Amino acid sequence: MQFSANFRRSEPAVDYYGASTPIRQLATVTAPAADALLIQPYDPATIVLIEKALSHSDLGMTPTNDGRCIRLRLPTLTKERRRELSKVVNRLGEEGRVALRNVRREALKAVERQEKEGLLGEDDRRSLEAAVKKLMARHEGDLDKISKKKQQELLSV
């Protein structure tokens, strides 16, 4: 059985030769300091495209282009920015819960389908359904703990 979840973080992408390409495939991204990112494109011709993609993204940072690389200064964490980030963590946690529910639904459908095909008996189906529900409950609990811990870290000074 194979299950998939559509849970990916959005990343700024560049329109490179007609294809939407993630910045990590076009440049090296490093952190020379705790409050800065340095983006060095492999192809110098893409620097303008990368800068434009970063400017139009919702990162909340303004890129600085020096002709060879792009620098991003991370904003200091004010109280209101911490609250905003806490809301983002909450939203990402909810997206994770939705993804887990989708995986659970797919797994239960697959088990039911196998029972209808005669590959599983009723007792096997029940035990597999119980195992899936138990596993999903554990992962939902882990996700909740991680989300709450991260929110507490963000809100503490």
Side-chain angles (χ1 to χ4, degrees):
M1 269 188 261
Q2 182 178 3
F3 304 105
S4 64
N6 283 335
F7 181 67
R8 289 181 19 184
R9 289 188 63 206
S10 62
E11 176 181 341
V14 176
D15 185 25
Y16 187 63
Y17 289 108
S20 181
T21 308
I23 291 176
R24 289 182 293 160
Q25 292 180 5
L26 297 173
T28 303
V29 181
T30 57
D35 64 342
L37 291 176
L38 180 67
I39 301 170
Q40 294 176 311
Y42 302 127
D43 179 8
T46 62
I47 196 163
V48 175
L49 298 173
I50 294 172
E51 182 180 21
K52 182 178 176 183
L54 290 170
S55 296
H56 293 304
S57 69
D58 61 348
L59 294 175
M61 296 181 274
T62 305
T64 307
N65 177 357
D66 69 1
R68 292 178 304 161
C69 61
I70 297 173
R71 297 181 194 285
L72 290 171
R73 271 280 165 216
L74 301 174
T76 57
L77 288 178
T78 62
K79 195 169 192 172
E80 69 181 42
R81 180 68 178 151
R82 289 176 186 268
R83 284 192 202 121
E84 289 174 22
L85 291 174
S86 177
K87 289 177 185 177
V88 169
V89 168
N90 191 31
R91 181 178 50 83
L92 291 173
E94 184 57 36
E95 288 176 10
R97 285 187 282 280
V98 169
L100 282 173
R101 286 185 212 120
N102 290 337
V103 169
R104 177 178 52 217
R105 185 178 59 244
E106 286 181 31
L108 294 176
K109 282 182 182 178
V111 168
E112 189 176 306
R113 201 171 31 249
Q114 287 184 351
E115 182 190 24
K116 286 181 181 178
E117 292 173 359
L119 299 173
L120 293 175
E122 187 176 336
D123 291 338
D124 292 333
R125 177 187 55 86
R126 286 184 184 155
S127 66
L128 282 173
E129 285 177 351
V132 167
K133 288 178 183 178
K134 182 179 177 182
L135 185 63
M136 288 297 143
R138 187 182 81 196
H139 286 294
E140 285 176 349
D142 291 346
L143 183 63
D144 287 339
K145 279 195 293 189
I146 291 168
S147 177
K148 287 178 182 168
K149 181 181 176 187
K150 186 51 74 176
Q151 285 179 344
Q152 287 173 351
E153 285 177 13
L154 283 169
L155 294 176
S156 65
V157 177

